[in-house]
Amino acid sequence: ETGVTQSPTHLIKTRGQQVTLRCSSQSGHNTVSWYQQALGQGPQFIFQYYREEENGRGNFPPRFSGLQFPNYSSELNVNALELDDSALYLCASSSGGGAKNIQYFGAGTRLSVL
Amino acid sequence: SQKIEQNSEALNIQEGKTATLTCNYTNYSPAYLQWYRQDPGRGPVFLLLIRENEKEKRKERLKVTFDTTLKQSLFHITASQPADSATYLCALDMANDYKLSFGAGTTVTVRA
């Protein structure tokens, strides 16, 4: 187990609603990255937080936003949900960004948008 | 544009054989490349990291090579076991920034 926990594990929402996903990072890690993984695809980078600041963003619209707290836990918020937002949302903690740092993933939150 | 491509077909192999997975990338020379394992419904688990100046890295039955001229990494599972059945993902930073980009993964099934 990585020590990264995500909640909830499953979530069902309807189109147009808003959702908040939560992630507790591994002890000692100051960086949290969020990924979206559609069925049969690899994880797609949404954004990364380092010491409470957004530190890089992927190709996702502004309705995807996040926060990192002083204890380095993090939230992912998605507004105006669309059907295509249905996916596994993964949180990963690390001791820095980029491929030189190992990412420790949580088990993910499965979001279904109806 | 930058792309990461892994074996498009799933790999089915007999127990005891070697599985070889490929990861090809274009338009960038990453300094680091990582491999992860993902089981159904679970998050990816880190396996190996290789640097651009390392040709080969090993960990138990796993071996990774990194050819920066061919822009390719190979991932080998030797003496494969049914427990090795999973999806294997390669990941690299496509712009030497904080964004880690993943391939789509290759699903390996090891038959007893």
Side-chain angles (χ1 to χ4, degrees), chain B residues 37-87:
Chain B
R37 168 189 172 133
Q38 186 172 25
D39 292 288
R42 308 293 296 272
V45 175
F46 171 78
L47 295 174
L48 283 164
L49 179 152
I50 188 165
R51 295 172 176 77
E52 61 178 341
N53 60 353
E54 296 176 316
K55 296 299 182 188
E56 183 180 296
K57 201 83 171 276
R58 291 175 185 260
K59 178 183 174 184
E60 298 172 354
R61 295 182 294 107
L62 307 179
K63 184 178 85 170
V64 171
T65 62
F66 194 8
D67 189 325
T68 55
T69 301
L70 292 178
K71 294 188 183 296
Q72 179 182 78
S73 176
L74 297 179
F75 178 83
H76 306 270
I77 308 171
T78 59
S80 60
Q81 303 169 0
D84 295 327
S85 299
T87 296

Side-chain angles (χ1 to χ4, degrees), chain A residues 8 13 22 32 36 40 56 60-61 63 70 77-79 81 96 114:
Chain A
K13 291 285 189 178
R22 296 179 175 83
V32 171
Q36 180 194 66
F60 281 82
R63 59 189 185 84
N77 299 289
V78 187
N79 293 321
L81 283 167
L114 307 177

Side-chain angles (χ1 to χ4, degrees), chain A residues 1 35 37 40-45 48 55 57-58 88 90 97-103 105-107 110, chain B residues 32-34 36 38 41-46 49 51 89 91-93 97-105:
Chain A
E1 295 298 321
Y35 297 84
Q37 187 174 26
Q41 300 297 315
Q44 298 296 309
F45 179 84
Q48 181 181 96
N55 187 38
R57 189 176 183 93
L88 180 68
L90 294 163
K100 64 180 178 182
N101 291 292
I102 298 166
Q103 304 286 304
F105 284 87
R110 172 71 62 187
Chain B
Y32 304 88
L33 190 145
Q34 301 180 9
Y36 288 80
Q38 186 172 25
R42 308 293 296 272
V45 175
F46 171 78
L49 179 152
R51 295 172 176 77
L89 300 157
L92 45 99
D93 52 0
D97 60 13
Y98 302 111
K99 183 168 69 175
L100 192 61
S101 297
F102 283 82

Side-chain angles (χ1 to χ4, degrees), chain A residues 43 64 72 79 89 104-105 113:
Chain A
F64 285 78
Y72 303 131
N79 293 321
Y89 287 85
Y104 294 86
F105 284 87
V113 182

